[in-house]
């Protein structure tokens, strides 16, 4: 089975070669869904000038070459090709898709090693809503690439090193390890940091101790490293609670924080300087990648070593990119990071290519994440103006979901499971359903709605399909058809389902999970129309029609479940 648009693209390109010569075979047929047919090909409009013929004449020549196509091809208007697929062809392809364990989703050949840098909270502070989008988008991309057969290496680039850790360790000693661990495991990292900072700013003795502790940490003092591990282990245990609640696939094995690259930083700078890529400028070691200038039109520096000898983000990112290419053997590196870091990453990628560390055979891409806004259109914060704790936000989602399903007649355990799935699904889908580089307004009322493009609507659609099988006493696995299309709603649903494989592949190619969201929503909408207009297990439905419609239900269920699974959205069996 194949996506209809891909089939049409191939057939129209064959027709282009047959009608006008092989040199035109690679022209984009410009296949689009149409309100006048299943699809419309607009290539005649774009090709006519080059061929020195009228668009309609070009379209008629193409239509003649498509005479054996499984459907009808009509020339419309000044030169549009309106293409309507044959019902039997659609039904046969849907039947093959039902038999396919992968639902028409191909595998990448050859498979790639894809490194995905995402989540990356700062260990010195609490996880807040700013980490939500990078975590959700990155995890979805990891799921999609793995489903396509790529080797995915997750990299959780924790902020786990640097000068703040001097005061954080000293504060740990002041309050005791047990109290510090309890506070960090409870998600009170921000309060912990603020207390340490207050002492650092107001107590000269503490400040002196903290600075000395930075030195012992950087020199690898065993006791200081032990205390650092106590702090980090407690912090990571809290992060894992958040990841578990969200249902993301990050594990401790995926942690590759700043501390990991610390031993590489001096060599990174030495190698850049020895190669002449980095030069001293006002005491700092800088790379000046070509094409980057500041407001004064002077070359913009990427500072890989500060004038005081310290290292910054650029140092770590240059070391990381070399490690990911050389050691992890990446073919593609995705940085799922806030859009405000766009210039930084453009410069890092340019500097890495300048140094020869990022060859043309490896793609490095910044998957830009837009800002989350409140209903007032400003950065999402608490009423007091502070960043919202991610744990509080997620718990509120579950609590609100509990209210949404309060009228369901389930036992307490089942109700809790559904509320969790609905709450997490709502938060994750609301994020994924818009372009990742766009700002979006966080609105619980909208995202928990049972209508519209929301996770609860999609979760309810698949739960409703399951209820059809339960009421009829059938197992979805036994619904094998054959599929026969007799009603327009059946045809529309089957045609929609055939596009699943292509959209999954497009998500991986373009790093745009919102494309999959749009497809799943369109699928659920088509199913809703089918459900309302085409009885499945009611009395009076003949056996053949019931078998066909059950097969369509089973195929829709698998597409919804698989698609939502690739997004990381849970699918409760009941709603």
């Amino acid at each position: 089975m194949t996506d209809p648009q891909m089939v049409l693209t191939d057939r129209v390109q064959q027709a282009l070669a047959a009608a006008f010569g092989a040199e035109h075979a690679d022209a984009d047929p410009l296949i689009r869904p149409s309100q006048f047919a299943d699809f419309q090909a607009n290539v005649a409009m774009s090709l006519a000038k080059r061929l020195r013929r009228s668009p309609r004449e070009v379209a008629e020549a193409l239509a003649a070459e498509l005479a054996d196509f499984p459907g009808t091809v009509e020339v419309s208007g000044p030169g549009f090709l309106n293409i309507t697929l044959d019902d039997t062809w659609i039904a046969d392809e849907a039947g093959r898709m039902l038999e396919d364990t992968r639902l028409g989703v191909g595998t990448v050949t050859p498979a790639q090693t894809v490194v995905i840098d995402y989540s990356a909270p700062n260990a010195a502070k609490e996880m807040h809503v700013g980490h939500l989008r990078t975590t959700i988008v990155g995890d979805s991309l990891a799921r999609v690439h793995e489903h396509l057969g790529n080797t995915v290496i997750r990299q959780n680039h924790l902020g786990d090193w640097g000068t703040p850790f001097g005061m954080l360790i000293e504060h740990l000693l002041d309050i005791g390890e047990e109290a510090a661990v309890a506070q960090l495991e409870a998600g009170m990292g921000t309060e912990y940091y603020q207390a340490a900072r207050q002492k650092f700013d107001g107590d000269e003795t503490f400040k002196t101790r903290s600075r000395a502790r930075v030195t012992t940490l950087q020199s690898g003092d065993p006791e200081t490293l032990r205390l650092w591990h106590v702090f980090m282990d407690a912090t990571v245990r809290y992060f894992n609670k958040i990841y578990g609640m969200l249902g993301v696939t990050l594990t401790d094995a995926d942690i590759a924080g700043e501390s990991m690259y610390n031993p590489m930083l001096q060599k990174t700078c030495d190698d850049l300087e020895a190669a002449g890529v980095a030069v001293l400028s006002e005491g700092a070691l800088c790379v000046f990648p070509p094409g980057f200038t500041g407001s004064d039109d002077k070359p913009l520096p990427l500072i890989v070593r500060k004038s005081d000898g310290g290292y910054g983000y650029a140092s770590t990112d240059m070391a990381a990119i070399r490690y990911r290419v050389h050691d992890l053997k990446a073919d593609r590196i995705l940085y799922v990071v806030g859009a405000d870091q766009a210039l930084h990453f453009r410069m890092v990628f340019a500097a890495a290519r300048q140094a020869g560390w990022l060859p043309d055979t490896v793609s490095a891409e910044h998957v830009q994440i837009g800002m989350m806004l409140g209903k007032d259109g400003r950065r999402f914060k608490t009423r007091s103006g502070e960043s919202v704790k991610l744990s509080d936000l997620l718990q509120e989602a579950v609590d609100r979901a509990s209210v949404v399903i309060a009228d369901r007649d389930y036992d307490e355990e089942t109700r809790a499971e559904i509320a969790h799935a609905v709450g997490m699904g709502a938060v994750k889908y609301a994020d994924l359903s818009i372009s990742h580089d766009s700002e979006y307004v966080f609105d619980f009322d909208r995202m928990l709605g049972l209508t519209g493009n929301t996770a609860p609507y999609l979760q309810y659609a698949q739960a409703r399909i399951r209820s059809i099988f339960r009421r009829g006493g059938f197992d979805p696995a036994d619904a094998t058809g054959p599929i026969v299309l007799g009603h327009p709603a059946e045809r529309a649903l089957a045609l929609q389902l055939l596009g699943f494989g292509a959209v999954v592949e497009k998500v991986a190619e373009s790093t745009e999970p919102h494309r999959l969201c749009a497809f799943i929503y369109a699928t659920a909408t088509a199913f809703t129309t089918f459900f309302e207009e085409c009885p499945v297990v009611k009395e009076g439905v003949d056996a053949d029609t019931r078998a066909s419609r059950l097969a369509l239900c089973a195929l829709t269920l698998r597409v919804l479940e698989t698609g939502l699974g690739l997004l990381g959205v849970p699918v409760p069996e009941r709603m």
Side-chain angles (χ1 to χ4, degrees):
M1 80 301 309
T2 312
D3 173 60
Q5 283 191 246
M6 293 174 64
V7 171
L8 290 173
T9 296
D10 183 60
R11 289 291 285 111
V12 174
Q13 286 181 328
Q14 291 178 30
L16 284 165
F20 308 115
E23 66 272 22
H24 298 294
D26 61 350
D28 185 350
L30 301 172
I31 307 289
R32 304 287 185 270
S34 171
Q35 59 179 326
F36 304 110
D38 291 331
F39 298 96
Q40 187 177 83
N42 299 338
V43 65
M45 308 297 290
S46 63
L47 197 60
K49 188 173 182 180
R50 206 162 89 193
L51 293 172
R52 297 183 179 180
R53 298 166 71 170
S54 73
R56 189 170 181 91
E57 186 181 352
V58 172
E60 287 172 345
L62 289 173
E65 294 294 341
L66 291 167
D68 62 340
F69 188 78
T72 61
V73 181
E74 298 178 349
V75 178
S76 173
F80 302 115
L81 283 177
N82 286 342
I83 304 170
T84 301
L85 295 163
D86 185 78
D87 288 3
T88 302
W89 185 89
I90 296 173
D92 290 346
E93 291 297 308
R96 278 191 278 273
M97 184 176 177
L98 183 63
E99 295 171 359
D100 181 15
T101 57
R102 292 188 55 80
L103 296 170
V105 180
T107 53
V108 177
T109 306
Q112 292 186 315
T113 295
V114 183
V115 174
I116 307 181
D117 182 329
Y118 69 103
S119 192
N122 188 338
K125 296 181 181 179
E126 158 74 58
M127 277 186 87
H128 56 79
V129 295
H131 300 112
L132 179 64
R133 300 198 72 192
T134 62
T135 303
I136 291 172
V137 173
D139 204 59
S140 175
L141 292 173
R143 291 168 183 265
V144 168
H145 277 284
E146 283 183 330
H147 191 66
L148 290 171
N150 286 324
T151 298
V152 173
I153 301 177
R154 295 163 174 79
Q155 297 278 273
N156 192 353
H157 193 93
L158 296 183
D160 63 355
W161 199 255
T163 55
F165 281 87
M167 69 178 189
L168 296 173
I169 290 172
E170 286 302 314
H171 183 56
L172 180 147
L173 288 170
D174 284 355
I175 66 175
E177 292 183 28
E178 185 176 343
V181 166
Q183 193 173 6
L184 294 167
E185 286 185 342
M188 299 177 68
T190 297
E191 292 86 346
Y192 182 102
Y193 176 88
Q194 289 171 345
R197 185 78 216 187
Q198 187 175 7
K199 285 196 291 185
F200 185 87
D201 292 338
D203 184 337
E204 284 299 320
T205 302
F206 183 83
K207 182 181 290 188
T208 301
R209 285 166 46 201
S210 297
R211 286 174 171 168
R213 185 63 67 177
V214 172
T215 302
T216 60
L217 178 64
Q218 293 176 341
S219 65
D221 171 64
E223 176 59 13
T224 302
L225 286 176
R226 185 190 71 80
L227 293 169
W228 176 80
H229 277 294
V230 169
F231 180 94
M232 282 306 307
D233 290 349
T235 301
V236 168
R237 284 194 290 274
Y238 174 67
F239 289 165
N240 286 340
K241 291 178 185 176
I242 298 293
Y243 294 147
M245 195 170 186
L246 276 171
V248 299
T249 55
L250 285 168
T251 68
D252 289 357
D254 304 317
I255 294 174
E258 292 173 356
S259 61
M260 171 181 162
Y261 301 104
N262 190 58
M264 309 177 192
L265 299 185
Q266 183 173 332
K267 180 171 173 53
T268 297
C269 292
D270 291 346
D271 290 353
L272 288 170
E273 190 171 16
V277 175
V279 296
L280 287 171
S281 175
E282 299 180 16
L285 187 64
C286 305
V287 179
F288 290 90
F292 294 90
T293 56
S295 57
D296 55 2
D297 290 331
K298 291 182 179 179
L300 203 60
L302 182 73
I303 302 174
V304 293
R305 189 179 62 222
K306 301 173 186 177
S307 57
D308 64 1
Y311 302 109
Y313 291 126
S315 323
T316 304
D317 286 333
M318 288 295 289
I321 206 165
R322 179 157 70 163
Y323 169 78
R324 290 165 179 177
V325 172
H326 184 268
D327 295 80
L328 299 183
K329 309 298 183 187
D331 297 301
R332 190 176 181 188
I333 312 173
L334 305 179
Y335 291 79
V336 188
V337 182
D340 57 349
Q341 296 295 311
L343 175 61
H344 170 76
F345 280 109
R346 288 202 306 271
M347 293 185 71
V348 167
F349 299 159
R353 293 203 185 278
Q354 191 178 352
W357 297 353
L358 184 61
D360 292 339
T361 54
V362 179
S363 170
E365 304 158 48
H366 178 198
V367 182
Q368 299 185 29
I369 303 299
M371 190 184 302
M372 184 189 297
L373 306 176
K375 288 184 180 181
D376 59 2
R378 299 178 180 178
R379 184 188 288 269
F380 191 76
K381 291 182 179 293
T382 63
R383 290 180 179 177
S384 61
E386 298 175 351
S387 292
V388 178
K389 286 188 176 185
L390 189 49
S391 57
D392 293 345
L393 184 82
L394 298 181
Q395 186 57 54
E396 184 176 355
V398 175
D399 293 343
R400 286 174 176 256
S402 297
V403 174
V404 171
I405 64 164
D407 60 343
R408 307 299 196 271
D409 186 21
Y410 297 130
D411 61 76
E412 189 173 338
E413 182 179 354
T414 301
R415 189 187 303 278
E417 290 175 357
I418 295 173
H420 184 272
V422 172
M424 292 305 97
V427 170
K428 296 176 81 171
Y429 186 84
D431 191 318
L432 292 166
S433 63
I434 63 152
S435 178
H436 57 70
D437 58 352
S438 300
E439 296 179 337
Y440 89 106
V441 175
F442 191 94
D443 181 354
F444 272 127
D445 292 334
R446 183 189 61 80
M447 64 178 60
L448 284 165
L450 290 172
T451 58
N453 190 11
T454 67
Y457 172 71
L458 302 176
Q459 291 168 323
Y460 182 71
Q462 66 83 30
R464 185 160 57 182
I465 296 173
R466 289 191 173 279
S467 72
I468 292 173
F469 283 98
R470 281 197 299 271
R471 286 200 310 271
F474 301 104
D475 186 333
D478 297 332
T480 57
I483 295 173
V484 179
L485 305 178
H487 190 285
E490 295 173 317
R491 185 184 188 280
L493 177 58
L495 184 58
Q496 167 65 23
L497 291 166
L498 294 181
F500 182 58
V503 79
V504 173
E505 293 168 21
K506 187 64 178 177
V507 167
E509 176 191 332
S510 64
T511 66
E512 293 178 327
H514 72 274
R515 292 176 179 268
L516 180 54
C517 294
F519 177 87
I520 297 171
Y521 175 58
T523 300
T525 301
F527 176 79
T528 297
T529 302
F530 163 84
F531 177 81
E532 292 170 350
E533 300 183 9
C534 301
V536 180
V537 294
K538 288 182 179 179
E539 290 186 15
V541 178
D542 65 84
D544 290 344
T545 299
R546 180 187 299 114
S548 174
R549 290 177 178 175
L550 283 171
L552 273 175
C553 287
L555 181 56
T556 304
L557 177 63
R558 286 176 55 203
V559 167
L560 290 175
E561 286 185 330
T562 304
L564 289 170
L566 292 176
L567 293 171
V569 174
V571 280
E573 290 194 11
R574 299 172 186 266
M575 282 281 283

